[in-house]
Amino acid sequence: MAHFFIDDSLRAGSAVPGSVLSIDGAEARHAVTVSRVRPGERLRIGNGAGLMLDVTVTGADGGRLTFRVDEADVVEPSTPRILLVQALAKGDRDEMAVQAATELGIDGVIPWAASRSVTRWEGPKVAKGQARWASIVREASKQSIRAWLPEVAGLTSTRQLAALAGSTRMLLLEPTAELRLTEIGAPTDDRDILLVVGPEGGISTAELDQLEQAGATRVRLGETVLRTSTAGPAALAILNATLGRW
């Protein structure tokens, strides 16, 4: 399939083989005017919540895309979920991490205002930053043809992360940790796995202690120090193999 589009309005009950459906709005306009989709082409369309359709386009006009459903499939969500806790970082390194992690299969993203984060989301920047990350996640999900669209949570503080440590399996990516991530065995329960990545200056000692006391575990990836843009995706690749996703 050359193109994949996501439309949140699609529902499994009405999207059955042989049915003719249509989508409107920005996604349809992009398909018609940018991707120049034409009748007769075969596409894949999802709703970001597990529904995946193989379709044949029957109409492409203006802001509406009409298609016949050839095949329909519902993909179950991954269990346990893996979430990326990405500290805000200077430049676009945090956005690079979010994009790559989405392509590699992350199940959710949590922006973190770490103590050493140079970039700050304050006031109107909070909603703007979250919307920006959500847009990156959506485009990366389309590029990698993902059935489930990862959710981007609201901006999170260290105190809020500590509150999550007791109910999740929180892994702090820290170059000085004794335990390697490859030594972490497959989970025995369905608790969410949270990969916590600090900014360019790393996770502060105070934050490491606070999160560890709350139940988190320090782990390292190897002998080298990775940038904040690559640490999360690298750790996710290891967990994908450990959990049998790859």
Side-chain angles (χ1 to χ4, degrees), residues 111-195:
W112 175 31
S115 64
R116 291 178 177 170
S117 291
V118 175
T119 298
R120 293 289 173 180
W121 291 359
E122 298 174 340
K125 288 185 177 181
V126 176
K128 184 177 180 181
Q130 184 180 7
R132 168 65 178 167
W133 282 24
S135 176
I136 292 171
V137 163
R138 188 180 185 89
E139 292 306 310
S141 295
K142 289 165 61 178
Q143 188 278 328
S144 51
I145 312 182
R146 294 196 50 178
W148 285 87
L149 189 65
E151 179 183 358
V152 178
L155 183 63
T156 303
S157 66
T158 302
R159 178 181 58 80
Q160 291 170 318
L161 279 187
L164 293 174
S167 59
T168 64
R169 195 180 193 194
M170 184 175 291
L171 304 176
L172 310 176
L173 298 187
E174 167 55 39
T176 63
E178 295 184 4
L179 183 65
R180 294 175 181 266
L181 181 57
T182 51
E183 297 172 336
I184 297 290
T188 57
D189 54 47
D190 291 336
R191 287 182 300 162
D192 288 345
I193 300 173
L194 272 60
L195 289 172

